Amino acid sequence: MDASTSHDSVLTAAAARGDDGALELLVRAYHDRVYRFGLRVCRDAFDADDAVQEAFTRLARRPEVARDPGVLSWLMTVVRNACMRMLRPFARERSRLGRRVDDADAVPSGELDPQAALERWRLVRAVHEAIAALERPYREVIVLRDVEGLTGDEVCRMLGIGEAAMKSRLHRARQLVRAEVLRREGARPASPASPARNEGG
């Protein structure tokens, strides 16, 4: 058990005894990561927020349940299951108008070369959009492993699959993302050439 896991175990035990401060620390530590994951699974900001609220509400009621698998893995599992319920056909009959989310990162600050910053931003956006377009099994595994940085064991436990299946899905997901990014890069128009100087006049 590493220091982080041990610290989380102390906090969940304290929260189980009714320590609101310990619960608040857990919320501060994990809310953003769990929300990002929910957003990528649900692909809807409102649904993601609902899923995260459900996860933390359950954690507040019985925080000790998250002690063994780890708080982050447990929260993400609850969020994933909530999102799956929301994504079932006809689970919700409400309008999606105006609820699209731009998931791309902002242009990195501190870049010396504005053109390099723009190219980097385009690449990041292309990767995010390629991931968002994946079928759910591939999207989940690449988000958990490559975006959120969970271990292979944690991903397997969360998704309920074996190591071989996880590695196969991850490999395929990476291939699909790479192919889509390359396709987009190839489809982009070339930068306009500098106008030729008039040498005849």
Side-chain angles (χ1 to χ4, degrees), residues 104-118:
D105 289 351
V107 177
S109 61
E111 293 281 1
L112 295 178
D113 182 359
Q115 184 62 32
L118 179 59

Side-chain angles (χ1 to χ4, degrees), residues 27-177:
V27 172
R28 288 182 179 180
Y30 294 114
H31 179 277
D32 289 351
R33 290 186 68 183
V34 173
Y35 176 76
R36 286 198 307 269
F37 173 66
L39 187 58
R40 287 183 169 92
V41 175
C42 294
R43 292 189 281 194
D44 182 281
F46 286 81
D47 287 347
D49 188 61
D50 287 347
V52 171
Q53 290 298 324
E54 176 179 332
F56 279 107
T57 297
R58 289 179 60 181
L59 184 65
R61 290 173 180 166
R62 290 190 60 204
E64 71 277 7
V65 299
R67 192 178 307 150
D68 293 335
V71 176
L72 180 60
S73 295
W74 184 86
L75 287 169
M76 286 186 170
T77 300
V78 175
V79 167
R80 175 179 180 266
N81 291 340
C83 286
M84 291 305 96
R85 291 196 302 273
M86 296 173 189
L87 291 172
R88 287 173 186 162
F90 311 112
R92 289 189 172 192
E93 295 292 340
R94 67 186 192 185
S95 172
R96 303 288 177 174
L97 185 62
R99 294 169 56 182
R100 297 188 56 173
V101 176
D102 185 356
D103 195 34
D105 289 351
V107 177
S109 61
E111 293 281 1
L112 295 178
D113 182 359
Q115 184 62 32
L118 179 59
E119 289 300 320
R120 182 177 172 187
W121 177 82
R122 284 174 174 165
L123 177 61
V124 168
R125 183 180 181 89
V127 170
H128 280 311
E129 291 180 348
I131 290 174
L134 292 173
E135 294 180 8
R136 181 178 56 79
Y138 298 124
R139 189 172 68 251
E140 287 178 342
V141 73
I142 198 171
V143 166
L144 290 171
R145 190 71 179 93
D146 290 351
V147 178
E148 295 302 331
L150 271 64
T151 66
D153 288 343
E154 288 173 327
V155 175
C156 291
R157 187 165 56 241
M158 281 190 59
L159 300 182
I161 58 178
E163 183 180 5
M166 185 275 294
K167 289 183 176 179
S168 176
R169 287 187 194 179
L170 182 60
H171 178 67
R172 180 58 176 157
R174 287 169 174 168
Q175 284 184 320
L176 291 169
V177 169

